[in-house]
Amino acid sequence: MVDSTLDQVGKNLSEAMRFLGEEQREPEAATERQHFSRSCIPGPLQGDGQDVATILRLVHNLIHEEEDEEDKPSQNRMQNVGEHGQMALLGHSLAAYISMMDKEQLRKLTTRIQSDTTLWLCRLFRYENGSTCFHEDDRDGLVKVCRLVINARYEEYATEGYVVLNTRQPVIYQGASCRSGLGQHLCSQLGLPLSSLCTVPCNTLFGSQHQMDVALLEKLIKEDINAGKLPLLLIANAGTPGAGHTDKLGRLKELCDQYNLWLHVEGVNLATLALGQVTSSIMAATRSDSMTLTPGPWLGLPAVTAVTLYRHEDPALSLAAGLTSSHPVEKLRALPLWLSLQYLGHNGIVQKIKHATTLSQQFLQKLQSLSCIKTLVEDESDSPVVLFKFNQEGSTASSGSFCAGEKEVCDAFNRWLGEELAELVPTSGIDVVELEDEGTCIRFSPLLTAAVLGTREEDVESIVAKMTELIFVMSSTMSLREDFREETHKRSPSLRYINELAWPGLGVVRYEMQANRMDEDRKKQEQEKINTELLKKLQDLDTDILFSTGPEFATEQGCIFVGMVADDVDVSDLVDTIAALGRDIEESGKGMLRQLPVVGSVLNWFSPIQSSIKGRTFSLAAGSLDSTEATYSTKAQADRPSLQDTPISSSKKLPGQKLFRRAGASTDSTETSSTQAEATFQEENPTGIGSSINPPISPPTPETPHHTSGDLVSEKNLKSPSEIDDSEDSDDMHPEGQEAEGSTR
């Protein structure tokens, strides 16, 4: 006979999962979420109760609120929970229902659930004669194990308490590669001083640099014993949190037996104990006194507790330490895992772990074919965690030594690579880790992510394909960084190169105003406005280069951060454009002030207009008003000003070609006469204006009569002889570097 309540619990859970997981919503629902987002401030509890559908809709809106505000799908959207995951969720609902049963019936049921789960886990992970402790925080099992060891080593601890610890101070040992903050958490929970924590350095000469130095550990133990301290417990790793390396567990177990220390092991590599073939280094973990397992991420089970397996013969001490409980309700923590293990079965559990290790090996083999990638794997033949980093060819970083600032630059590029891969292939589970010796690295650990994200072999292929594209851009950008710095220095003081080592891109630059007599605060404000406008103009250009204000943690503000570039980028042309646009914006601001009465006179006094301009010419072909200085200096009319004087160089820009990209055609095919270049410029820019930015601000074009011949007409030829004499006399009356204010006379 099926309990109708149990059946209803399952139906309600399925309906709730379906409602919360659906992604295609009605327009009315979207409107309702928008209304909810505007009134999401907590308010009083409503007097009338609400039905289940209304409450679920509220939860649904809270989950997807961020997506609606940003008007795009969230990268942190809830993962699609499979049937085995629904069994784990069902366990939480059933636990609440079972807790209301009769006490005797509840005791029998919870004892059976915990006994079954303990037996299955001990057999799966080859841990004979073990007991289990189920806990929400994966650190709580170790805390309770420490309490057990303290109770066992200090016989009067149960009656005297912490007073007995003064006789011999306990010492807990951990490797330098252990989880950050784990030792401090233990001391905080146990009420021990931080002096009771001893961190053992890793190997420096032999073996992995992420493994605990066994010889140094023994030396530290002897020193503590001679100092009257009590070595209590050693925390070892089967897969360090960063690099995934495994300590020499066999040697550590022998050392613990020799000095009567409790050996506790944790790490992601413990999952491989369920496989048919296990390496000897991992198999040694089965001899430890306790180890903590995290089956939730390994098997893709949501909200499943961590499990600590341990061996101890005194149930009273286990009860005092909190490893066991006399309350049947607390034993229901094992119910979600009990249901999930039965659903998956032994073969299903092994298959999930095997799939994750296969993905690691497949990815490692693909990485070995990439020349700019350095792998940091403990055992290339069988490593469930793949650690790698971008390493520019020819860089001193490849030999382990770094030039000044090079390590910081490499870390920035690797951080960018990891973040890009995680965004481009979200099902990969790629993340970025920081290691003390190697700096910023990228980690692929499918044992922790594959079951949850549903990573497949196709995703590994996608990672490698995307990485190949990104590496090409990273290599070209890193090789052009020095060119960008030199080109920027050539245009000093107009441009200032900012040495922002943590920026993963071509470089950082800032346009500097040339107003020396301006107040510093005022100059800073005006300069910030200019660079802000300059950034907007650069972002409007027809180019695939990313210009931004940089990250929030940047040391310099008001700068232009230039992103990744391809190898065919003309760095000189890029820097020329930045400088020209900056001058254009600065001069346009002065031009506006010169039109104001009194203000223009004062500005002309402090920042006079250059008097080297003898006249102006109007180009009928380009539709622009230019200087006649080149005409007077060369005694001949110039066709057009130099392309370097224009914000954007367009003479060799082919149709469809992005700005700042060098054309791939041969020299013969790109060289044209000035007339052909002028015709091409007119076709692409009928008004003589660049395709993406505003033109340099020039004086208003005077009205000119129609002409039948010639492309260039001198402005002086449009004046009367008396006007020409007045203009020449005016130039002679004023000192060099100043110009008369003809507009105010």
Side-chain angles (χ1 to χ4, degrees), residues 577-641:
T577 301
I578 296 176
L581 286 175
R583 288 193 300 268
D584 176 24
I585 298 172
E586 183 179 6
E587 291 300 325
S588 67
K590 293 180 180 179
M592 293 177 62
L593 291 177
R594 294 184 196 276
Q595 308 303 319
L596 300 178
V598 181
V599 177
S601 302
V602 176
L603 181 61
N604 289 335
W605 174 263
F606 285 104
S607 180
I609 299 175
Q610 297 297 328
S611 63
S612 60
I613 302 177
K614 301 299 182 181
R616 287 179 290 237
T617 61
F618 180 71
S619 174
L620 296 178
S624 61
L625 192 64
D626 303 317
S627 170
T628 60
E629 182 179 1
T631 304
Y632 282 93
S633 62
T634 61
K635 306 302 181 182
Q637 287 185 337
D639 290 340
R640 296 196 67 234

Side-chain angles (χ1 to χ4, degrees), residues 43-101:
L45 181 64
Q46 296 185 8
D48 297 332
Q50 303 184 46
D51 55 18
V52 177
T54 303
I55 298 174
L56 289 178
R57 190 176 297 109
L58 174 62
V59 176
H60 184 278
N61 294 338
L62 288 172
I63 293 174
H64 298 282
E65 177 184 6
E66 182 179 353
E67 301 176 24
D68 299 328
E69 291 179 353
E70 299 180 357
D71 196 23
K72 61 180 181 179
S74 173
Q75 294 290 342
N76 300 321
R77 180 176 296 181
M78 288 198 325
Q79 301 300 325
N80 187 20
V81 182
E83 292 184 358
H84 61 283
Q86 291 192 19
M87 292 300 296
L89 298 178
L90 178 62
H92 290 277
S93 300
L94 290 178
Y97 170 71
I98 294 175
S99 64
M100 298 183 297
M101 297 174 58

Side-chain angles (χ1 to χ4, degrees), residues 494-496 509-513 526-541 547-549 558-562 574-586 588 647 660 692-694:
S494 296
L495 294 181
R496 179 186 173 190
V509 67
R510 180 167 59 206
Y511 182 81
E512 298 284 345
M513 291 182 61
E526 293 297 327
Q527 188 165 283
E528 184 176 351
K529 293 180 181 179
I530 292 176
N531 281 276
T532 301
E533 182 65 22
L534 176 58
L535 175 61
K536 293 180 180 178
K537 288 183 175 291
L538 290 172
Q539 291 174 339
D540 290 338
L541 293 177
F547 301 95
S548 67
T549 56
C559 302
I560 297 172
F561 288 72
V562 186
L574 171 61
V575 178
D576 275 339
T577 301
I578 296 176
L581 286 175
R583 288 193 300 268
D584 176 24
I585 298 172
E586 183 179 6
S588 67
F660 316 124
S692 301
I693 63 170
N694 296 324

Side-chain angles (χ1 to χ4, degrees), residues 413 416 468-478 564-566:
F413 273 65
W416 178 85
T468 304
E469 300 174 2
L470 296 176
I471 288 176
F472 173 77
V473 178
M474 293 171 66
S475 299
S476 60
T477 302
M478 187 167 285
M564 298 284 179
V565 298

Side-chain angles (χ1 to χ4, degrees), residues 157-179:
Y157 180 79
T159 56
E160 301 296 330
Y162 289 102
V163 178
V164 299
L165 302 181
N166 295 329
T167 58
R168 296 185 67 186
Q169 182 180 358
V171 183
I172 300 174
Y173 302 89
Q174 67 169 2
S177 297
C178 276
R179 280 189 291 171

